[in-house]
Amino acid sequence: MRQVHLIAYDIADVKRYRQVYKAMCGHGDPLQYSVFRCELSEIELHGLKETLWPILNLAEDRVMIVDLGPVEGRGDDCIEYWGEPRVAPPDRAATIV
Amino acid sequence: MIDNVHHQHSTSHEPQHDTPDAANSTPTPSTTPPPTSTAEPPGADRPPEADALIPVRMLNEFTYCPRLGYLEWVQGEWADNLETRQGTFGHRHVDKPDRKSISAPKEPADAEKQDGDVIHARSIMLAADQEELLAKLDLLEIDGDRATPVDYKRGKAPDIPEGAYEPERVQLCAQGLVLRENGYACDEGVLYFIGSRRRVVIPFDDELIARTRQLVQQFRETARAGAIPPPLDDSPKCPRCSLVGICLPDETNLLREAATADTPPTKDGLRRLLPSRNDALPMYVQDQGVMIGKSGDRLTVKQKGEQLSSSRLIDVSQVSVFGNVMFSAPALRELTIRGIPVCHFTYGGWFHGITSGLTHKNVELRIRQYATAADPAGSLDIARRLIMGKIRNARTLLRRHLGDREAPVLRQLNEYHRRAGHAPTAETLLGLEGMAAKEYFAAFFTLLSGRHEFDVNGRNRRPPRDPVNAVLSFVYSLLVKELTVTLQAVGFDPMLGFFHTPRYGRPSLALDLSEEFRPLVADSVVMTVFNNGEVTGDAFIERAGAVTLTDAGRRSVIAAFERRLETEITHPIFGYRICYRRILEVQARLLARCVLGELHEYPSFCTR
Ligand code: SF4
């Protein structure tokens, strides 16, 4: 089952920053610059690691992952927004366009 | 007894083909792991030949659980779990101190000279015809004519006298036997545990060799017999087994017990080993002229350059498109690689096609499916259960909503249910089903508010001539789509059914399995949308006597259908909470167990 993760990062290099941003978009939604809200199962979190590790240079970059708990539990209740998030967290429902 | 559980799939390597050619072209640990999207089940192209050499990794699985070995090797099933993925990743990121001695040569199967006389070679594929084994070696240390296989394991070395659990020791010993047959002296092997950075030496003593050969023999016989070993009984191995959602150990055991017991076995304590809901959900695109594209790992829908939606690919389980919707080639390629099917509907809602990757091969299941379909008695057995399930569920729906428990229709449906159980031929069954449906629909239509406004005159289709029938037809189409996707994922051929005769462009097996779910999933959605006012008169257009839904009307119906599939209910037999979408999958798997002969009777899904 998925948990909500808050993931924030500092990336020292512009090229890596772009790569990380793109990789993060595949795993969550940006709430602020360099701060993502990601609903991920354990295995999906592992997938994110597999994607990010080859990009990062941990001598210069840093990443913080906070597990906020289950999607339908504390996960979202513990985030308080001031101002609009850059991308609103999605509802869990089938996409109908 | 948790101690006896070793980390399932700790041995799994990156997905790869078990053929020497493929092995030679499989790169060993490189710095960039492949994107998850290209992960492919190991041996997806391997035929389930009972006479083929047994890959030693499969021998590990068979030792862990004979059923697991059978599912993976003979039936070609594969599923990732966290541990398989970590195992793959672990092989790439072996701790720094060892990096030098195990750094990947440019070409796999290269041999490099080390300081001493020991030659290290990695990622070697070796066959041994006498032992009937095929070994993929992570690392081979060769000193003169002496060879030592080294196998990397995720996690820590277990604290047991043998140094490692049996599946790992057997797998390593099998590698040793392969080396011996290829002319090397080999009396021991090494397991390198990445988590504790420890080399554990495993001597190949007579006892281990005898045990290894015995397991090879048993695996061979099991594969030849074509009989899947029964699930383990309440074993702590199951929760950590990556195939638990495919194997359904507790469910299968319960149903097998039920078949032999006089009193129904208790469902208390049945572990729910599969998640109650899926993380990924379907996507429906019905706006005309839109383009579905891919941006990074997201699927985007754009209309004239304006983005209408963007979803993570990991959130998309399937894509359904109506009418004139376009795909970019990268998007379509990504969907097929990930095994996300694309379902095509006409603008009017007729399900007419599916695009899917080459993802599943359960050849054994298909062979049995064809054999069952060709056998009138076998087909009839299953068809009876499907129709009985349908009538029972139809009756339950009426009983709950008619407000009259003595209504004659309930008694009639009971009678049809009973007769369907004894129908001597498929034709009789078809007749009974038709009569039951007629009675049922007459009562069903009275449950819809606004039926007078909509001028419903019995069930009609192709084309539907009133709004209620338009929604019924559309929802059936969605249900059949859902089941086609599910059956295909389970390994069936959705085109060949046991009750519905195959016809061009008709997924007969999906129609078969849809029978018991029509009242539960489809008809209840129809009731909801009309009785809650989710669709009203302006959701329809009439053209030449045919009534169809507008875009907005269709959107409401799809939303209601999807909500229904996400609804969790208590499973009437297994006793745990589970959503309808999962129930469809579990029923498809149980149907497979029945076709494969493991269950004697298809247990149709009936709510109380
Ligand atoms: S779930 Fe249990 S019984 Fe089934 S294959 Fe896995 S370990 Fe064996």
Side-chain angles (χ1 to χ4, degrees):
Chain A
M1 285 285 99
R2 285 180 173 164
Q3 309 267 113
V4 178
H5 296 83
L6 196 69
I7 303 185
Y9 51 85
D10 288 342
I11 308 294
D13 167 85
V14 181
K15 186 172 157 231
R16 289 204 302 274
Y17 180 83
R18 274 201 219 100
Q19 289 176 318
V20 169
Y21 181 81
K22 196 171 164 202
M24 288 302 301
C25 282
H27 293 82
D29 300 290
L31 299 177
Q32 303 180 10
Y33 292 102
S34 309
V35 180
F36 276 72
R37 177 190 173 282
C38 305
E39 288 183 14
L40 299 171
S41 64
E42 272 185 316
I43 187 166
E44 288 162 347
L45 181 63
H46 183 76
L48 178 63
K49 269 187 205 167
E50 286 181 346
T51 315
L52 286 187
W53 280 15
I55 304 174
L56 298 170
N57 173 356
L58 291 181
E60 298 182 1
D61 307 334
R62 58 183 72 86
V63 174
M64 178 177 75
I65 302 178
V66 186
D67 182 344
L68 297 179
V71 175
E72 271 149 45
R74 187 171 172 273
D76 276 315
D77 298 346
C78 63
I79 308 181
E80 181 177 324
Y81 299 100
W82 291 7
E84 287 298 307
R86 284 185 56 211
V87 174
D91 288 337
R92 188 196 142 79
T95 311
I96 310 172
V97 181
Chain B
M1 292 302 287
I2 293 289
D3 284 349
N4 283 336
V5 182
H6 82 300
H7 288 224
Q8 179 46 30
H9 285 307
S10 54
T11 61
S12 296
H13 304 237
E14 65 196 80
Q16 58 206 220
H17 305 270
D18 286 327
T19 61
D21 278 1
N24 286 337
S25 60
T26 305
T28 20
S30 65
T31 44
T32 0
T36 56
S37 55
T38 56
E40 151 184 29
D45 57 354
R46 191 182 47 225
E49 298 163 272
D51 296 324
L53 300 180
I54 298 174
V56 293
R57 194 175 62 76
M58 290 295 161
L59 188 63
N60 176 316
E61 310 287 40
F62 184 79
T63 311
Y64 182 78
C65 165
R67 186 174 175 88
L68 179 62
Y70 189 92
L71 283 167
E72 288 198 359
W73 191 47
V74 182
Q75 298 195 342
E77 295 285 6
W78 175 254
D80 256 344
N81 69 5
L82 184 63
E83 293 172 8
T84 64
R85 287 286 289 277
Q86 287 178 336
T88 308
F89 199 54
H91 278 248
R92 302 174 174 286
H93 290 258
V94 177
D95 303 311
K96 280 259 155 51
D98 277 289
R99 261 225 159 131
K100 194 161 161 285
S101 64
I102 62 146
S103 68
K106 284 284 165 287
E107 283 299 312
D110 250 3
E112 50 180 282
K113 268 273 186 215
Q114 296 290 316
D115 294 345
D117 284 336
V118 182
I119 294 173
H120 291 241
R122 72 192 50 257
S123 201
I124 313 265
M125 185 69 79
L126 276 180
D129 292 335
Q130 297 302 313
E131 302 283 357
E132 302 186 277
L133 286 169
L134 188 64
K136 167 104 188 294
L137 307 170
D138 285 351
L139 176 65
L140 184 58
E141 295 176 347
I142 303 169
D143 186 359
D145 64 354
R146 180 157 301 278
T148 310
V150 181
D151 214 49
Y152 288 95
K153 297 296 171 200
R154 195 186 76 89
K156 296 190 158 67
D159 190 15
I160 54 173
E162 297 87 355
Y165 293 114
E166 190 180 41
E168 280 73 42
R169 284 185 295 122
V170 164
Q171 180 185 8
L172 194 65
C173 179
Q175 295 181 345
L177 294 177
V178 171
L179 287 165
R180 281 192 191 179
E181 192 176 317
N182 282 274
Y184 292 101
C186 179
D187 324 308
E188 61 182 32
V190 173
L191 291 171
Y192 181 81
F193 287 90
I194 295 165
S196 48
R197 302 184 190 181
R198 255 186 66 201
R199 281 170 72 100
V200 175
V201 175
I202 305 289
F204 300 151
D205 53 29
D206 292 345
E207 194 189 337
L208 181 57
I209 290 176
R211 175 71 180 140
T212 303
R213 290 201 168 122
Q214 180 194 23
L215 283 159
V216 171
Q217 184 78 21
Q218 284 172 5
F219 199 179
R220 170 77 53 212
E221 280 163 13
T222 309
R224 285 216 175 107
I228 186 169
L232 302 177
D233 187 14
D234 204 19
S235 164
K237 290 180 179 183
C238 297
R240 38 195 345 164
C241 170
S242 71
L243 291 194
V244 66
I246 290 170
C247 161
L248 299 176
D250 293 11
E251 291 82 353
T252 306
N253 281 332
L254 182 83
L255 292 170
R256 284 163 60 108
E257 252 175 71
T260 51
D262 297 336
T263 50
T266 151
K267 68 190 172 202
D268 298 338
L270 194 64
R271 303 171 293 178
R272 197 194 67 211
L273 299 171
L274 68 173
S276 63
R277 288 206 314 213
N278 314 44
D279 286 329
L281 288 172
M283 180 175 192
Y284 294 84
V285 183
Q286 57 160 358
D287 272 352
Q288 297 302 286
V290 299
M291 169 66 110
I292 300 181
K294 170 177 158 338
S295 162
D297 284 338
R298 299 183 80 101
L299 209 58
T300 58
V301 182
K302 291 184 181 165
Q303 191 164 40
K304 298 195 184 100
E306 186 206 344
Q307 184 164 301
L308 303 180
S309 90
S310 160
S311 312
R312 300 185 300 174
L313 275 155
I314 54 174
D315 282 334
V316 180
S317 62
Q318 47 172 270
V319 182
S320 292
V321 296
F322 296 80
N324 182 22
V325 171
M326 288 171 283
F327 281 89
S328 77
L332 204 53
R333 185 179 57 225
E334 188 67 24
L335 291 169
T336 52
I337 288 173
R338 288 182 185 241
I340 301 173
V342 178
C343 302
H344 305 270
F345 292 78
T346 62
Y347 181 69
W350 180 253
F351 173 47
H352 67 85
I354 182 163
T355 304
S356 51
L358 300 169
T359 39
H360 205 288
K361 67 128 221 192
N362 189 337
V363 180
E364 190 191 26
L365 175 58
R366 290 192 179 212
I367 291 172
R368 300 278 186 96
Q369 179 191 351
Y370 297 151
T372 307
D375 165 26
S379 291
L380 186 59
D381 275 348
I382 295 174
R384 277 198 209 102
R385 311 296 305 181
L386 293 166
I387 298 308
M388 287 167 75
K390 177 186 186 171
I391 299 175
R392 163 68 39 92
N393 288 333
R395 185 180 179 280
T396 304
L397 184 144
L398 294 181
R399 177 173 53 80
R400 283 189 192 163
H401 293 98
L402 277 180
D404 173 11
R405 293 184 166 249
E406 305 302 320
V409 64
L410 298 182
R411 225 176 316 118
Q412 276 158 342
L413 289 178
N414 250 349
E415 177 63 12
Y416 287 128
H417 176 267
R418 192 189 59 77
R419 285 168 62 190
H422 299 105
T425 63
E427 289 68 37
T428 322
L429 191 60
L430 195 63
L432 287 165
E433 190 258 336
M435 289 186 283
K438 198 152 177 278
E439 302 278 350
Y440 163 72
F441 273 115
F444 174 77
F445 287 128
T446 68
L447 297 174
L448 302 175
S449 61
R451 64 183 181 279
H452 304 297
E453 175 196 344
F454 290 137
D455 188 24
V456 183
N457 186 15
R459 172 86 182 111
N460 55 66
R461 54 199 136 182
R462 274 199 245 167
R465 291 190 293 276
D466 59 75
V468 172
N469 277 289
V471 175
L472 270 172
S473 292
F474 182 54
V475 175
Y476 286 161
S477 193
L478 294 176
L479 177 61
V480 168
K481 175 269 296 182
E482 194 67 29
L483 284 164
T484 304
V485 168
T486 306
L487 287 164
Q488 193 163 292
V490 165
F492 276 112
D493 177 352
M495 300 303 288
L496 183 60
F498 306 124
F499 178 59
H500 292 86
T501 45
R503 229 192 267 156
Y504 194 77
R506 178 161 114 151
S508 304
L509 189 61
L511 289 166
D512 282 1
L513 195 51
S514 77
E515 293 293 355
E516 68 198 53
F517 291 108
R518 281 174 193 247
L520 294 176
V521 174
D523 300 347
S524 80
V525 166
V526 176
M527 277 181 65
T528 306
V529 297
F530 282 105
N531 294 356
N532 293 354
E534 289 172 36
V535 300
T536 48
D538 55 11
F540 302 94
I541 21 177
E542 189 184 331
R543 277 198 219 96
V547 174
T548 51
L549 281 154
T550 62
D551 280 7
R554 195 155 53 194
R555 182 187 299 262
S556 306
V557 175
I558 294 172
F561 175 73
E562 282 295 326
R563 279 201 315 272
R564 184 66 179 169
L565 288 182
E566 285 293 294
T567 305
E568 287 187 13
I569 60 159
T570 300
H571 194 289
I573 303 175
F574 305 141
Y576 47 57
R577 302 282 296 171
I578 181 169
C579 76
Y580 272 110
R581 199 193 312 278
R582 277 267 172 209
I583 291 173
L584 299 185
E585 182 196 328
V586 169
Q587 290 304 113
R589 295 204 182 282
L590 294 177
L591 182 61
R593 301 264 161 257
C594 171
V595 167
L596 288 166
E598 191 172 14
L599 298 177
H600 292 303
E601 200 167 68
Y602 169 70
S604 46
F605 181 84
C606 296
T607 51
R608 305 244 163 84

Short mmCIF file of all heavy atoms in Angstrom, two decimals, chain B residues 186-210:
data_model
loop_
_atom_site.label_atom_id
_atom_site.label_comp_id
_atom_site.label_asym_id
_atom_site.label_seq_id
_atom_site.Cartn_x
_atom_site.Cartn_y
_atom_site.Cartn_z
N CYS B 186 35.73 -29.02 -8.17
CA CYS B 186 34.92 -28.04 -7.45
C CYS B 186 34.32 -28.68 -6.20
O CYS B 186 33.46 -29.55 -6.31
CB CYS B 186 33.83 -27.52 -8.39
SG CYS B 186 32.74 -26.32 -7.65
N ASP B 187 34.82 -28.32 -5.01
CA ASP B 187 34.31 -28.94 -3.78
C ASP B 187 33.62 -27.94 -2.87
O ASP B 187 33.14 -28.30 -1.81
CB ASP B 187 35.43 -29.56 -2.93
CG ASP B 187 36.50 -30.16 -3.79
OD1 ASP B 187 36.12 -30.95 -4.66
OD2 ASP B 187 37.68 -29.78 -3.62
N GLU B 188 33.66 -26.69 -3.24
CA GLU B 188 32.98 -25.71 -2.39
C GLU B 188 32.62 -24.49 -3.20
O GLU B 188 33.13 -24.27 -4.29
CB GLU B 188 33.88 -25.31 -1.21
CG GLU B 188 35.17 -24.66 -1.65
CD GLU B 188 36.08 -24.31 -0.47
OE1 GLU B 188 36.04 -25.03 0.54
OE2 GLU B 188 36.78 -23.30 -0.56
N GLY B 189 31.71 -23.72 -2.65
CA GLY B 189 31.31 -22.48 -3.29
C GLY B 189 31.21 -21.40 -2.25
O GLY B 189 31.33 -21.66 -1.05
N VAL B 190 30.99 -20.19 -2.71
CA VAL B 190 30.95 -19.06 -1.79
C VAL B 190 29.66 -18.29 -1.99
O VAL B 190 29.25 -18.02 -3.12
CB VAL B 190 32.15 -18.11 -2.04
CG1 VAL B 190 32.02 -16.84 -1.20
CG2 VAL B 190 33.46 -18.82 -1.76
N LEU B 191 29.01 -17.97 -0.86
CA LEU B 191 27.88 -17.06 -0.92
C LEU B 191 28.36 -15.73 -0.35
O LEU B 191 28.88 -15.68 0.76
CB LEU B 191 26.72 -17.58 -0.08
CG LEU B 191 26.02 -18.84 -0.62
CD1 LEU B 191 25.03 -19.37 0.41
CD2 LEU B 191 25.32 -18.54 -1.93
N TYR B 192 28.24 -14.68 -1.13
CA TYR B 192 28.64 -13.37 -0.63
C TYR B 192 27.39 -12.60 -0.25
O TYR B 192 26.56 -12.29 -1.10
CB TYR B 192 29.45 -12.61 -1.68
CG TYR B 192 29.90 -11.27 -1.17
CD1 TYR B 192 31.02 -11.17 -0.34
CD2 TYR B 192 29.18 -10.12 -1.44
CE1 TYR B 192 31.42 -9.94 0.17
CE2 TYR B 192 29.56 -8.89 -0.91
CZ TYR B 192 30.67 -8.82 -0.11
OH TYR B 192 31.06 -7.60 0.42
N PHE B 193 27.25 -12.31 1.04
CA PHE B 193 26.07 -11.59 1.51
C PHE B 193 26.36 -10.10 1.53
O PHE B 193 27.19 -9.62 2.30
CB PHE B 193 25.66 -12.10 2.89
CG PHE B 193 25.03 -13.46 2.84
CD1 PHE B 193 25.80 -14.61 2.96
CD2 PHE B 193 23.66 -13.59 2.62
CE1 PHE B 193 25.23 -15.86 2.87
CE2 PHE B 193 23.08 -14.85 2.54
CZ PHE B 193 23.86 -15.99 2.66
N ILE B 194 25.69 -9.40 0.66
CA ILE B 194 25.96 -7.98 0.46
C ILE B 194 25.66 -7.20 1.74
O ILE B 194 26.42 -6.32 2.13
CB ILE B 194 25.11 -7.45 -0.72
CG1 ILE B 194 25.57 -8.15 -2.01
CG2 ILE B 194 25.24 -5.95 -0.86
CD1 ILE B 194 24.61 -8.00 -3.17
N GLY B 195 24.54 -7.55 2.41
CA GLY B 195 24.14 -6.80 3.60
C GLY B 195 25.15 -6.86 4.71
O GLY B 195 25.37 -5.88 5.42
N SER B 196 25.80 -8.01 4.89
CA SER B 196 26.78 -8.10 5.98
C SER B 196 28.21 -8.21 5.43
O SER B 196 29.14 -8.45 6.17
CB SER B 196 26.45 -9.29 6.89
OG SER B 196 26.20 -10.45 6.13
N ARG B 197 28.36 -8.03 4.15
CA ARG B 197 29.68 -8.08 3.49
C ARG B 197 30.46 -9.31 3.90
O ARG B 197 31.63 -9.23 4.25
CB ARG B 197 30.51 -6.85 3.85
CG ARG B 197 29.83 -5.55 3.48
CD ARG B 197 30.76 -4.42 3.78
NE ARG B 197 30.08 -3.15 3.67
CZ ARG B 197 30.67 -1.98 3.86
NH1 ARG B 197 31.93 -1.92 4.17
NH2 ARG B 197 29.99 -0.87 3.74
N ARG B 198 29.76 -10.43 3.91
CA ARG B 198 30.45 -11.63 4.38
C ARG B 198 30.49 -12.70 3.31
O ARG B 198 29.50 -12.92 2.61
CB ARG B 198 29.74 -12.18 5.61
CG ARG B 198 30.52 -11.90 6.89
CD ARG B 198 29.87 -12.56 8.06
NE ARG B 198 29.89 -14.01 7.99
CZ ARG B 198 29.05 -14.78 8.68
NH1 ARG B 198 28.11 -14.25 9.42
NH2 ARG B 198 29.15 -16.09 8.59
N ARG B 199 31.65 -13.32 3.20
CA ARG B 199 31.76 -14.50 2.34
C ARG B 199 31.50 -15.72 3.19
O ARG B 199 32.17 -15.94 4.20
CB ARG B 199 33.19 -14.61 1.79
CG ARG B 199 33.50 -13.70 0.61
CD ARG B 199 34.99 -13.71 0.33
NE ARG B 199 35.42 -14.98 -0.28
CZ ARG B 199 35.64 -15.14 -1.59
NH1 ARG B 199 35.46 -14.14 -2.40
NH2 ARG B 199 36.05 -16.29 -2.07
N VAL B 200 30.54 -16.52 2.81
CA VAL B 200 30.26 -17.74 3.55
C VAL B 200 30.62 -18.92 2.64
O VAL B 200 30.10 -19.02 1.52
CB VAL B 200 28.77 -17.82 3.95
CG1 VAL B 200 28.46 -19.15 4.61
CG2 VAL B 200 28.43 -16.67 4.89
N VAL B 201 31.55 -19.74 3.11
CA VAL B 201 31.99 -20.87 2.29
C VAL B 201 31.05 -22.05 2.53
O VAL B 201 30.77 -22.41 3.68
CB VAL B 201 33.44 -21.26 2.63
CG1 VAL B 201 33.85 -22.51 1.86
CG2 VAL B 201 34.37 -20.09 2.30
N ILE B 202 30.54 -22.61 1.46
CA ILE B 202 29.64 -23.76 1.56
C ILE B 202 30.35 -24.97 0.95
O ILE B 202 30.58 -25.02 -0.26
CB ILE B 202 28.34 -23.51 0.78
CG1 ILE B 202 27.64 -22.22 1.23
CG2 ILE B 202 27.42 -24.72 0.88
CD1 ILE B 202 27.03 -22.27 2.61
N PRO B 203 30.73 -25.95 1.78
CA PRO B 203 31.36 -27.14 1.22
C PRO B 203 30.32 -28.01 0.52
O PRO B 203 29.19 -28.14 1.00
CB PRO B 203 31.94 -27.85 2.45
CG PRO B 203 31.22 -27.28 3.63
CD PRO B 203 30.59 -25.99 3.24
N PHE B 204 30.70 -28.58 -0.60
CA PHE B 204 29.78 -29.48 -1.30
C PHE B 204 30.00 -30.89 -0.79
O PHE B 204 30.68 -31.70 -1.42
CB PHE B 204 30.00 -29.41 -2.82
CG PHE B 204 29.80 -28.03 -3.39
CD1 PHE B 204 30.48 -27.62 -4.53
CD2 PHE B 204 28.91 -27.14 -2.79
CE1 PHE B 204 30.28 -26.34 -5.05
CE2 PHE B 204 28.70 -25.86 -3.31
CZ PHE B 204 29.41 -25.47 -4.45
N ASP B 205 29.40 -31.21 0.36
CA ASP B 205 29.59 -32.55 0.91
C ASP B 205 28.59 -33.52 0.26
O ASP B 205 27.69 -33.10 -0.47
CB ASP B 205 29.45 -32.53 2.44
CG ASP B 205 28.15 -31.89 2.88
OD1 ASP B 205 27.16 -31.96 2.12
OD2 ASP B 205 28.12 -31.29 3.98
N ASP B 206 28.74 -34.79 0.55
CA ASP B 206 27.90 -35.80 -0.10
C ASP B 206 26.42 -35.55 0.16
O ASP B 206 25.59 -35.72 -0.72
CB ASP B 206 28.28 -37.21 0.41
CG ASP B 206 29.66 -37.59 -0.08
OD1 ASP B 206 30.15 -36.90 -1.01
OD2 ASP B 206 30.26 -38.54 0.46
N GLU B 207 26.15 -35.14 1.38
CA GLU B 207 24.76 -34.94 1.76
C GLU B 207 24.11 -33.85 0.92
O GLU B 207 23.01 -34.01 0.38
CB GLU B 207 24.72 -34.55 3.25
CG GLU B 207 23.34 -34.64 3.86
CD GLU B 207 23.34 -34.04 5.26
OE1 GLU B 207 24.41 -33.97 5.89
OE2 GLU B 207 22.26 -33.63 5.70
N LEU B 208 24.82 -32.71 0.77
CA LEU B 208 24.27 -31.60 -0.01
C LEU B 208 24.14 -31.99 -1.48
O LEU B 208 23.13 -31.67 -2.14
CB LEU B 208 25.16 -30.36 0.15
CG LEU B 208 24.70 -29.09 -0.59
CD1 LEU B 208 23.29 -28.68 -0.18
CD2 LEU B 208 25.67 -27.94 -0.37
N ILE B 209 25.12 -32.72 -1.98
CA ILE B 209 25.06 -33.14 -3.39
C ILE B 209 23.87 -34.08 -3.61
O ILE B 209 23.11 -33.91 -4.57
CB ILE B 209 26.38 -33.81 -3.82
CG1 ILE B 209 27.48 -32.75 -3.88
CG2 ILE B 209 26.24 -34.51 -5.17
CD1 ILE B 209 28.85 -33.30 -4.18
N ALA B 210 23.69 -35.01 -2.68
CA ALA B 210 22.57 -35.95 -2.83
C ALA B 210 21.24 -35.19 -2.78
O ALA B 210 20.33 -35.44 -3.58
CB ALA B 210 22.61 -37.00 -1.73
#
